[in-house]
Amino acid sequence: MLNYCTVADNNLSAPRQAFDVPRLNYEEKTMRLILLGAPGAGKGTVAKMLTAIDGSVQISTGDILRAAVKEGTELGKQAKAFMDAGDLVPDELIMGIMKERLKEDDCKSGFLLDGFPRTIPQAEQLKVLLADLGIELQAAVNLDVPRDVILDRLTTRRTCVDCGAIYNVKSAPTKVEGVCDKCGGKVVQRDDETEEAISNRLDVYNEKTAPLAGFYRDEGLLMDVTATSSEAVVAAIRERTGA
Ligand code: ADP
Ligand code: ZN
């Protein structure tokens, strides 16, 4: 368990001034961002676009957990039931992962946290962890996408049960409804992408993760972006970070 009571004020509450001060070294230019936003808000897409720009790394706790489940590691075994139920994995497991991950060498060229932190305790412990590592965050970018847009995005995806091909009923439909263009297999909506399952994930988000916007506002780090397109989000972030 991390102790976050003894760390002195580490200046995170001061307003960001990254662009008013001369950039002295490489470290200052590197991206150090948290991406906040509901499932389907486009965090992963934006993270991938940003890493392509400056060589920073995308750190997705969801990806790390899925890999652990696939490999059947102890972590994967502990996380699987929570993930299958659409619930959050316990904070202790997540902090164990991130404590190690943020110490890895590739983080020196910058990092984008995608899907972490997801609860207030995670955010509080991350603050201590970063202070210990001497890392200062630039911003917590909050991708604000209306719930109906998110539901629409997540519910229009369709998958072929035979070959795994992905379709979208609006933007990339099959030629014949319900029939895979590639193999003729049945194209369906996945169990965890039904309106009901997605609605559950969004409820967990609203209850546990949405309060992080207030947390980072108080820290002077919140950057709200009303995400219209991923390109527009990336442009806004680059303006803010100088990347
Ligand atoms: P999505 O954003 O589509 O809901 P992710 O790929 O970010 O999914 O995460 C998948 C699952 O992994 C989550 O539903 C949750 O069970 C678990 N998970 C990922 N990151 C965290 C985290 N920071 N805290 C707790 N659970 C997490
Ligand atoms: Zn198919």
Side-chain angles (χ1 to χ4, degrees):
M1 193 59 195
L2 290 167
N3 181 351
Y4 48 87
C5 304
T6 55
V7 170
D9 177 24
N10 54 32
N11 207 27
L12 277 181
S13 55
R16 297 301 89 189
Q17 295 181 341
F19 310 118
D20 305 335
V21 294
R23 296 194 195 104
L24 298 176
N25 57 40
Y26 181 72
E27 284 290 314
E28 283 185 39
K29 278 197 283 185
T30 58
M31 278 194 258
R32 283 151 283 126
L33 299 174
I34 293 173
L35 298 174
L36 297 172
K43 298 187 296 288
T45 307
V46 165
K48 283 189 178 69
M49 289 167 77
L50 287 169
T51 56
I53 290 165
D54 80 337
S56 53
V57 288
Q58 172 189 9
I59 302 178
S60 156
T61 41
D63 286 349
I64 293 171
L65 290 168
R66 274 185 292 275
V69 170
K70 209 172 159 194
E71 285 163 26
T73 64
E74 191 51 39
L75 168 70
K77 283 178 196 147
Q78 290 177 8
K80 191 175 186 310
F82 296 102
M83 295 173 75
D84 286 349
D87 289 329
L88 293 182
V89 170
D91 291 336
E92 294 74 29
L93 283 184
I94 299 291
M95 291 315 300
I97 296 171
M98 291 308 294
K99 234 176 125 177
E100 296 311 313
R101 185 64 188 90
L102 282 169
K103 284 179 193 154
E104 279 174 36
D105 244 16
D106 59 353
C107 294
K108 293 207 175 85
S109 30
F111 55 81
L112 304 149
L113 303 184
D114 164 13
F116 170 85
R118 213 118 146 179
T119 64
I120 294 283
Q122 286 180 21
E124 284 171 340
Q125 293 178 50
L126 174 65
K127 181 175 170 175
V128 178
L129 182 56
L130 292 174
D132 285 349
L133 294 170
I135 298 171
E136 208 176 334
L137 285 175
Q138 291 172 305
V141 181
N142 190 27
L143 306 186
D144 193 6
V145 181
R147 189 183 171 105
D148 56 334
V149 174
I150 283 180
L151 273 176
D152 189 56
R153 268 187 206 167
L154 294 174
T155 54
T156 48
R157 195 166 116 131
R158 299 290 184 271
T159 309
C160 172
V161 292
D162 288 338
C163 76
I166 306 285
Y167 298 91
N168 184 289
V169 290
K170 288 189 179 164
S171 59
T174 52
K175 291 198 185 86
V176 180
E177 202 188 322
V179 180
C180 181
D181 291 354
K182 293 181 183 137
C183 77
K186 203 172 165 195
V187 172
V188 300
Q189 190 167 34
R190 268 171 37 181
D191 285 347
D192 62 348
E193 285 174 351
T194 61
E195 185 144 352
E196 198 190 350
I198 290 161
S199 186
N200 281 338
R201 272 158 69 202
L202 290 179
D203 287 345
V204 171
Y205 171 80
N206 284 333
E207 187 195 331
K208 303 267 175 58
T209 309
L212 291 183
F215 179 92
Y216 286 109
R217 187 177 295 115
D218 292 347
E219 298 282 320
L221 287 170
L222 189 71
M223 176 185 173
D224 267 311
V225 180
T226 314
T228 42
S229 70
S230 303
E231 286 77 12
V233 175
V234 167
I237 294 171
R238 292 185 77 175
E239 199 183 318
R240 160 96 183 217
T241 62

